[in-house]
Amino acid sequence: MTLKLAVPSKGRMMEQCAEWFAARGVTLTRTGAEREYSGAVEGAEGVDLVLLSAGEIPRELAAGRVHLGVTGTDLVRETLARWESRVEPLAGLGFGQADLVIAVPDAWVDVETLDDLDMVAADFRAAHGHRLRIATKYHRLVREFLREHGVADYRLVDSQGATEGTVRNLTAEAIADITSTGETLRANHLKVLADGLVLKSEATLYRARNAPLEPADDRAMAGLLDTLGVG
Ligand SMILES: Nc1ncnc2c1ncn2[C@@H]1O[C@H](COP(=O)(O)OP(=O)(O)OP(=O)(O)O)[C@@H](O)[C@H]1O
Ligand SMILES: O=P(O)(O)OC[C@H]1O[C@H](OP(=O)(O)OP(=O)(O)O)[C@H](O)[C@@H]1O
């Protein structure tokens, strides 16, 4: 199998990723029609480009179907149990920086910390007969974080997009989502808990730990990492 490099095929990460490689003398180009997800690598020998959704890259790395991949730290840690045994972070790329946070309505003036949230959650259950709902797509990370911080009386509801809208739409009481400028939270009258930072995320170049390579591809890997100045 040729050395395969996976990069995001669309969205905010795609362009910045191409710029990061270009600044190091490696050109990533989409080949074929604009909507066709195939690509080429110039400036490094023996490397195939694979264009994938940022969310799918962790799984492809873990399965050994690609050898290198660029995606967010958040997506790797959410998607892969024991991620350290499956992928190795080689370099933070300095873009795609965002914080995964727990946020509650601005109107909850007495709720500033996780302890406050825990208390409100217990009262909420007593008053409403069901658990306080936290909307998120980051189930693994949020569960782990709340367990470590002793918050137990809640239920996660799945939200794959527009998560900040779930509180206004009355499908959740709180949320856990990515924020960067904070504008989306503010626009939806939500505030981050003082100790509600779950994870700081950044676009990162990962190497698959369990993707076998022929000697020639091993050389291609060494050449590419050398050109990029990482590894
Ligand atoms: N506002 C933001 N600023 C910077 N990075 C962000 C922001 N929102 C999300 N990200 C990061 O972008 C990466 C991809 O996010 P997401 O899973 O939402 O994919 P997407 O950009 O919608 O593309 P796709 O639908 O192809 O997966 C994640 O690692 C996430 O942390
Ligand atoms: O703090 P801000 O700068 O406002 O950015 C945060 C927003 O960016 C992401 O959403 P995205 O644009 O990817 O849309 P999504 O709701 O489909 O995830 C994230 O889910 C937040 O909603």
Side-chain angles (χ1 to χ4, degrees):
M1 177 160 97
T2 330
L3 181 74
K4 290 192 189 314
L5 164 67
V7 301
S9 54
K10 61 184 175 79
R12 56 172 64 81
M13 270 196 186
M14 184 190 75
E15 256 171 54
Q16 285 172 298
C17 183
E19 281 167 18
W20 187 90
F21 278 85
R24 286 152 186 83
V26 176
T27 313
L28 310 181
T29 45
R30 189 181 282 251
T31 54
E34 183 164 349
R35 286 173 184 271
E36 191 180 316
Y37 292 131
S38 60
V41 179
E42 284 162 39
E45 287 299 308
V47 187
D48 276 359
L49 187 64
V50 182
L51 298 165
L52 288 172
S53 144
E56 283 171 26
I57 290 176
R59 212 166 288 127
E60 293 303 296
L61 283 163
R65 284 190 288 267
V66 300
H67 303 94
L68 292 167
V70 173
T71 189
T73 341
D74 56 338
L75 299 176
V76 162
R77 294 185 190 205
E78 173 61 26
T79 313
L80 305 179
R82 290 171 288 99
W83 66 271
E84 301 96 322
S85 67
R86 305 167 83 182
V87 296
E88 175 191 4
L90 295 178
L93 306 192
F95 58 87
Q97 278 132 338
D99 294 345
L100 175 60
V101 299
I102 313 274
V104 301
D106 280 335
W108 291 12
V109 290
D110 295 334
V111 183
E112 297 293 346
T113 66
L114 290 166
D115 276 350
D116 298 338
L117 179 68
D118 192 36
M119 263 191 298
V120 165
D123 293 348
F124 186 93
R125 194 175 187 185
H128 298 274
H130 67 87
R131 293 175 190 223
L132 181 145
R133 296 162 299 178
I134 303 177
T136 191
K137 67 173 172 182
Y138 296 92
H139 295 231
R140 181 198 304 277
L141 291 172
V142 173
R143 269 208 184 90
E144 241 172 56
F145 179 79
L146 292 177
R147 191 182 54 240
E148 280 166 12
H149 291 82
V151 181
D153 235 350
Y154 70 91
R155 179 158 70 88
L156 291 187
V157 292
D158 187 48
S159 167
Q160 293 293 324
T163 304
E164 296 85 349
T166 56
V167 173
R168 170 173 288 192
N169 296 332
L170 306 179
T171 53
E173 285 71 43
I175 68 146
D177 199 15
I178 285 290
T179 179
S180 95
T181 63
E183 268 172 45
T184 312
L185 289 173
R186 276 192 294 280
N188 288 283
H189 313 290
L190 297 166
K191 62 177 178 184
V192 177
L193 295 180
D195 50 357
L197 175 64
V198 179
L199 179 81
K200 287 189 99 57
S201 182
E202 182 183 5
T204 299
L205 174 64
Y206 289 94
R207 170 164 39 199
R209 290 197 188 273
N210 310 310
L213 277 175
E214 304 288 332
D217 303 327
D218 232 356
R219 286 194 290 280
M221 168 85 84
L224 175 62
L225 296 184
D226 189 47
T227 304
L228 297 174
V230 298

